[in-house]
Amino acid sequence: MALKGPDRPYTVIAFQKGESTCAPKPPIITALKRLGRLWTQLPLAEVPDPLPGQIWTESSLLQGNLLEMMVSKLFGIIFFCGLLSPSQEVLSGLSCAVSPRAMQNVLSDAIIHNGLIHQHLQGLVVPNIMGEGSQLNSPTSITDLHLIKVRVPRLSVVLLPGIGVQLTIGAKLQLRGNCLVGLLSELIDILVEVNITANIKCTNFESGTFQVVTEDCLCILGAIKIKVLSGLLTLSVNELVLRQLTATLPALLCPVVDIVMNLVNIHLLSTLNAVIPVGTAGTIHYQLASIPYTSGKFLGLDLDGVVKQVGGSTIPHDSSPSALPPLMDRLLLLVMRQSFLNAVLSLLLQLPPQTFPCTPDVFSGASRLREAVWTIAPAGVRNLFRHKGLCKALQDTPGFAIMPLPKCSTCSGTSPLSIKLVLRGNPLILLEENKASVKLSVLIQLFSDRLDGSILNFLLLKADLALNVRVSIVGGRLVLQLALGSTSLSLESSDVGISNISPLKPHCINLLVETFLPVINGALSIGIPLPKVLRIPLVNVDFQIKAGLMVFLV
């Protein structure tokens, strides 16, 4: 049967139940059923219409080309899904660009300064060098030739677009052995310059890790200096040593480079995959989101930042991919996306409600706030202040006088005025060009406790705050400090009939600045831990705010 869709008609293929229920289902039918309801939609042009009153059954599907078309369509869907980029399923919260100069520093520290190459070259044994004699030269043999010293004067890095890193190590190897020329035996020292070049490629990415493969390793020998104690050395020995070392050293040195690069990979991956606590609120699990990529100008890294609360629940965030800003002449560019920052802010700002008496020892503007509430309250409500000891505080307010007023039955039997501040919803950071701000809402409740335990709600206000953000990095953590920008105040409810709240706005702003913002900034002072990308120190960091991005330049 044909159904008209919004763009073109479709034929619905239904499988009739009841036929040969005891017979085993063909594998393709079972596979289709496992994918969900046993309905398949194919374009009408690809499937012939059934005859009037006919319905497709399993048996009829197994005949002709219809089943082949269904399998082909299913395979096409699966194949298309396999082509989707991983970023369309799991999107990163951070991206990094590492300059060739920074990569050279990182690899020099790991390979040379930490002694890794020296450690794995120690014990290197070179095969014996044997030379047959001639009429003019005696037979020569150099045995027990081993490495006694390595001098590594330089290491250089070139980023190969789409391939990986080209690593070049220049070294001087000092070898020592026993030399027998004819009947004369003595120690021999050989100093040989080698230049090792290899392409390092990342492969087999899985769950935040990858393997490195050393390809196209080339070992070129430079100058060779040979020294024996007697000082007697023939030209034939020089030629023999050069020829034999050229043939044997590459096969000895290239595997060492491969071993060293795999150890460096393990060492550097630990800087990208780490679980870092965020105070006592939870953790951030940084993990490499995809295989590193190279251009001629930088090595690119995408990191997932999984934000978890204590107890294991994850705060979701969805970061859309975006182009990286230019690296310029810096070592490292780190980009943090707005949605990731929002998830971390939600973790940091899980604040309990603040409740305190409306008195000057807690809030310096308490008397002025009470006076403002007094002026907008219905006449009967003001009696509360007379009967509950607040009139004395009001009398202390300059220019304020207590007038005899009728009692308020609604307010009778209540305690003095209290304030409750509650963060409403999740904070939202907004990153615009050269500007960062945080928007959040606070509920401000002015209330009294009745003697029966219930609450008399004088006012429930909602304050929508726009807060300016100041950014700094302290001890490898991103610290955000907030300052009040603008405030919008609205009335949520009042049990005593207050409706005009405009006189309260300046007092509520002072209340929030004095009591609420310090709590917010105290929670944020813990800082957002940043990943130690390839152990590049975060010093002399410059900040840029782009649309949806916070950029750090090292």
Side-chain angles (χ1 to χ4, degrees), residues 369-445:
L369 176 60
R370 287 197 306 264
E371 178 183 351
V373 173
W374 180 280
T375 60
I376 64 175
V381 178
R382 302 180 195 175
N383 221 25
L384 170 66
F385 294 91
R386 172 185 298 280
H387 292 291
K388 296 304 166 186
L390 296 181
C391 57
K392 184 180 185 304
L394 291 173
Q395 286 171 331
D396 294 338
T397 303
F400 190 85
I402 299 293
M403 298 296 293
L405 294 168
K407 290 186 177 182
C408 170
S409 59
T410 306
C411 306
S412 60
T414 57
S415 66
L417 193 65
S418 296
I419 299 174
K420 185 176 184 179
L421 302 179
V422 180
L423 180 64
R424 184 176 187 177
N426 290 324
L428 179 66
I429 191 166
L430 183 62
L431 301 178
E432 303 171 284
E433 197 70 25
N434 299 321
K435 181 183 178 183
S437 59
V438 168
K439 298 185 182 299
L440 55 83
S441 296
V442 185
L443 293 179
I444 305 172
Q445 186 179 27

Side-chain angles (χ1 to χ4, degrees), residues 11 51 230 375 381 386 539:
T11 297
L51 296 175
S230 65
T375 60
V381 178
R386 172 185 298 280
V539 294

